């Protein structure tokens, strides 16, 4: 009888584990944050975590490759040439088109740093960023 009880307990434990795992899988949610069509083949993907000190302003620049990213913490003032500036908050994504001037990508806080992940989608061995002396 002990053997039957043991088998029964093991079977129940396995069933509970199975349903517990199924319940955990059922709780996973996916929310699309960004959907971009690229007209290029990818040769290389570089991922950088970047920290901007409080009130840091970035120089006007462009990227020779498309860049996608997500704000990890803080707020960024983001302005692409020809578009209105917008505020990006923690958890929000951004897209910087290839060879398009980025006029602002500034930390919007005077008291704390801002962090983000930038993913450079490279067709070849192009640089990640180019700084340029441009005027608005």
């Amino acid at each position: 009888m002990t053997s039957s009880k043991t088998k029964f307990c093991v079977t129940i434990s396995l069933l509970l584990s199975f349903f517990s795992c199924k319940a955990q899988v059922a709780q996973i949610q996916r929310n699309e944050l960004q959907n971009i069509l690229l007209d290029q083949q990818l040769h290389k993907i570089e991922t950088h975590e970047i920290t901007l000190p409080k009130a840091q302003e970035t120089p006007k620049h462009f990227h020779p490759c498309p860049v996608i990213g997500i704000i990890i913490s803080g707020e960024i003032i983001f302005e692409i040439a020809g578009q209105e500036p917008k505020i990006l908050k923690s958890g929000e994504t951004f897209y910087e088109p290839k060879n398009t001037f980025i006029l602002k990508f500034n930390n919007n806080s005077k008291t704390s740093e801002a962090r983000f992940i930038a993913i450079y989608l490279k067709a070849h061995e192009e640089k990640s960023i180019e700084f340029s002396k441009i005027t608005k």
Side-chain angles (χ1 to χ4, degrees):
M1 265 211 164
T2 307
S3 177
S4 295
K5 284 185 179 180
T6 303
K7 286 181 184 177
F8 177 76
C9 289
V10 168
T11 303
I12 294 299
S13 293
L14 288 172
L15 284 171
L16 290 174
S17 295
F18 173 76
F19 287 113
S20 174
C21 288
K22 292 282 271 188
Q24 288 176 1
V25 170
Q27 293 175 4
I28 294 173
Q29 295 181 7
R30 297 182 192 277
N31 297 318
E32 184 175 285
L33 299 177
Q34 200 170 52
N35 187 340
I36 299 166
L37 296 175
L38 297 177
D39 189 21
Q40 77 175 43
Q41 291 188 2
L42 292 179
H43 167 71
K44 182 178 184 181
I45 297 173
E46 289 182 10
T47 304
H48 297 233
E49 180 179 344
I50 301 169
T51 302
L52 297 177
K54 57 186 175 184
Q56 175 70 51
E57 294 184 2
T58 59
K60 295 171 178 69
H61 63 278
F62 68 94
H63 302 278
C65 61
V67 180
I68 59 173
I70 187 165
I71 308 303
I72 298 172
S73 65
E75 287 186 356
I76 298 291
I77 302 171
F78 178 47
E79 183 180 359
I80 296 175
Q83 297 181 18
E84 291 295 316
K86 59 183 171 182
I87 303 293
L88 300 174
K89 297 181 180 188
S90 180
E92 294 184 321
T93 61
F94 61 90
Y95 169 63
E96 298 180 69
K98 174 181 180 174
N99 294 324
T100 301
F101 284 117
I102 306 303
L103 304 179
K104 292 181 183 174
F105 203 94
N106 303 339
N107 185 345
N108 195 36
S109 174
K110 294 179 181 173
T111 59
S112 61
E113 66 185 23
R115 291 182 25 227
F116 62 96
I117 301 292
I119 303 167
Y120 302 87
L121 307 172
K122 297 185 171 191
H124 304 288
E125 292 295 328
E126 60 268 47
K127 292 181 179 181
S128 296
I129 191 168
E130 297 272 352
F131 296 100
S132 179
K133 294 183 180 186
I134 61 171
T135 57
K136 193 170 180 181

